[in-house]
Amino acid sequence: FHNKFIDYFEKDVSADLFLGFGEVDKEKHEIVVDEAIGRLRDVIRQFISQLANSSRPIISSRKQVKPEFHVRGINLRYMGVVLFGILAEWRNTRDKNPATFQSGIIID
């Protein structure tokens, strides 16, 4: 999880659970991690929707990619997930002409 996401999540997420050291209160930590994963998926889906349906650019240069992801608490490792989500939104639109598809990403 990105540090900014942990700040937004407001619950203590134990990294020990992923390392195999989290045997104490394991069930409690698993519940919190499951909640965090669900919340992160929601944040990513919202970001995809914002980018896919925006009539104005949210990301208009390479320099904006990292800050736009991180301000939402999304790690850059999810960049591919976001891209494929935007492409899925495009495929689901009625007008499949790429020239008329608008999104919140314009990279120079």
Side-chain angles (χ1 to χ4, degrees), residues 83-96 101:
L83 175 62
F84 281 108
I86 292 168
L87 292 174
E89 290 273 339
W90 176 70
R91 281 195 308 268
N92 292 330
T93 59
R94 289 185 190 162
D95 181 7
K96 297 195 179 196
F101 178 73

Side-chain angles (χ1 to χ4, degrees), residues 1 9 11-14 17 26-38:
F1 297 105
F9 189 61
K11 290 186 180 180
D12 187 24
V13 180
S14 174
L17 186 66
K26 185 175 180 175
E27 283 104 24
K28 180 181 95 175
H29 293 298
E30 284 177 345
I31 291 169
V32 173
V33 168
D34 287 345
E35 286 179 39
I37 290 169

Side-chain angles (χ1 to χ4, degrees), residues 5-108:
F5 176 78
I6 297 298
D7 292 344
Y8 294 147
F9 189 61
E10 298 177 350
K11 290 186 180 180
D12 187 24
V13 180
S14 174
D16 290 344
L17 186 66
F18 299 110
L19 301 173
F21 298 115
E23 293 300 319
V24 176
D25 293 332
K26 185 175 180 175
E27 283 104 24
K28 180 181 95 175
H29 293 298
E30 284 177 345
I31 291 169
V32 173
V33 168
D34 287 345
E35 286 179 39
I37 290 169
R39 178 66 185 123
L40 181 59
R41 286 180 180 148
D42 292 343
V43 169
I44 291 171
R45 283 187 200 111
Q46 290 169 2
F47 188 42
I48 289 169
S49 181
Q50 287 175 334
L51 291 172
N53 299 307
S54 179
S55 60
R56 63 172 186 75
I58 294 170
I59 298 175
S60 59
S61 75
R62 288 179 218 129
K63 291 179 181 178
Q64 288 180 296
V65 173
K66 182 178 175 182
E68 288 295 331
F69 272 69
H70 286 176
V71 75
R72 291 165 176 81
I74 303 171
N75 200 305
L76 286 176
R77 73 175 62 121
Y78 294 106
M79 192 180 303
V81 172
V82 171
L83 175 62
F84 281 108
I86 292 168
L87 292 174
E89 290 273 339
W90 176 70
R91 281 195 308 268
N92 292 330
T93 59
R94 289 185 190 162
D95 181 7
K96 297 195 179 196
N97 180 353
T100 61
F101 178 73
Q102 294 183 342
S103 81
I105 300 178
I106 299 175
I107 302 291
D108 52 3

